[in-house]
Amino acid sequence: MHQQPAPGNTPAIQPRSSAWTWTALIAAPLIIAAIFISYFFFSAPIPDRPPATTGLSPQEAASQNAAAELELARLRTEARRNTLAAGGGFVAIAALILALRRQHHHEKSTSFAEDDALQRRITDARIRAVEQLGSDNPAVRIGGIHNLERIGQQHTELRQVVLDEICSYLRLPYTPPAPETKKPISAALFEPTGPPPAETHSDQAEREVRLIAQEVLQRHLTLYNQDLYWQHSRLNLRNAHLDAIQLAGAHLSWADFTNATFTDTAQFMRVTFTGDARFVSVTFTGNAHFDRATFTGNAHFGGATFSRTTRFTGMTFTGNALFIGATFAEDALFRTAIFTRAAKFESASFGGYADFKGTTFGGPIEFGGVRVQGALCATSPASLEVLRRQGVCLRIEAHHQLPKEWDLNPDPTNPGWGHLTNQTATTPG
C-alpha cells in the first residue's frame, strides 16, 4: 500500500524564554525614550524663568517674581506628573502587548499540539485500516475498507490518499471464482460420511470484499449526491480486476485502466472524464456501456478487447479517440457519437454490427486495416468516402445499411470480402 509521511511529524511551537528576554530588553529603552519625549512635550511650553518686570517698585517686582516662580514650579510639577502618567500608560500598553503576544503564542502552541495529536490519530487509524486490508479474514478486510471510507469522508485532505489505497487493493492479483456447476445428486450423499471437510479460502468471499471496495468508488465518484462526491486528481486502476463496475454518472479526473479486466456488464453511461482516460489493452468480458459519456481529454482504447456488445451511442470525444488495434467481438454501436478531433481505428476488428449512423467526425479519420465481419451502418457520404479510400474490408454476405448509391466491390484476393464503392462516382455520364 502507499506509504505517506505521517502528518503528525509537525513540531509544535514551544515557548522560549530567551525570546521574551530580548523583547523586554528592546521594550525597556523604547519606553524610557517615550517617557523622556513625553516630558519634553509637556515641559516645552513652560518658560525657564519668570517674565521680566518693568515699571514696578522693588517690593511689587519681588512679589510678582515670587508668584511667577510658584506658577512655574506648579507647571513643572504638573508636567512631571503628566509625564509619569504617560509613562505608566506606555508601560501598561507594553505589558498589554506582551500579554497578548504571550496569549497568542500559547493559543498557537495549543492549536499546533491539538492538530498534531489529531493528525497522529488519523495516521494511526489509516495505518490500522490498511493493515486490516491485508487480513486473511474477509470480514476484517471489509471493516478496513469502511474505516478508510470514514476517514476520507471526515477529512477532505485525505480523500485522494483513501482512493489510492482502495485502488491499490483492487490492483492486487485476483482470480475470480469459477462458476458453480450443478452436479447430479448421488445416493452416497445420503449416507453418513463423517465430519465435513475443513473450509478453504473462499474466492467468493474475496469477490464480495472487492465489490464493496468498488461500491466505495462508485459512491464517492458520482455527482448524484454532492455531499458524498470526493474531489480527486487521479484514479489508478491499472491491471485491476473489476466485476460489474457501475460508474454511471461519475465525474473522473485522470483515469488509468490499462490492462484492467472488466467482468459482467461495465457501466460507464454519462461519465465525464476531465483528463485523459486510458483503457489500453483492457478486456471487457461482458457488455460495455459508454452511452452519452464525455471524454474531454484523449481517450486511449488501443488494443482493447470488447467481448460482448459495446455501446458508445451519443457520446462526445473532445480529445483524440484512439481505438488502434481494438477488437469488437460483437456489436459496436457508435450511433450519434461526436468525434471532435482525430478518430483512429487502424487495424481494429469488428466481429458484429458496426453502427456509425449519425456519427460526426470533426477531425482526421483513420480506418486503415479495419475489418468488419458483421453489417456496417453508416450514412455520411464523407465518412464513407474516407472508408473507401482507406480500403476497409467488409463481409459481402452481411446486410450492410448504406445509402443506395453505395455498394461493395468484391476483393478478388480475399473471397467473401469486399470494399466500398460509390456507384454514382464510377458510372459514366
Side-chain angles (χ1 to χ4, degrees), residues 26 112 135 171 179 181 206 254 356:
I26 294 173
F112 268 88
S135 172
R171 293 199 305 268
T181 57
E206 173 60 14
W254 180 88
F356 288 90

Side-chain angles (χ1 to χ4, degrees), residues 145-201:
I145 292 173
H146 288 310
N147 287 337
L148 281 174
E149 181 183 17
R150 185 174 63 254
I151 292 172
Q153 188 63 23
Q154 294 176 348
H155 305 281
T156 57
E157 73 280 4
L158 294 177
R159 289 177 176 176
Q160 182 62 62
V161 176
V162 172
L163 290 175
D164 289 341
E165 298 290 0
I166 295 176
C167 289
S168 296
Y169 183 81
L170 292 173
R171 293 199 305 268
L172 293 175
Y174 168 66
T175 302
E180 295 182 359
T181 57
K182 294 184 178 180
K183 297 181 179 179
I185 299 177
S186 172
L189 295 178
F190 299 97
E191 298 178 359
T193 57
E199 293 185 0
T200 58
H201 179 72

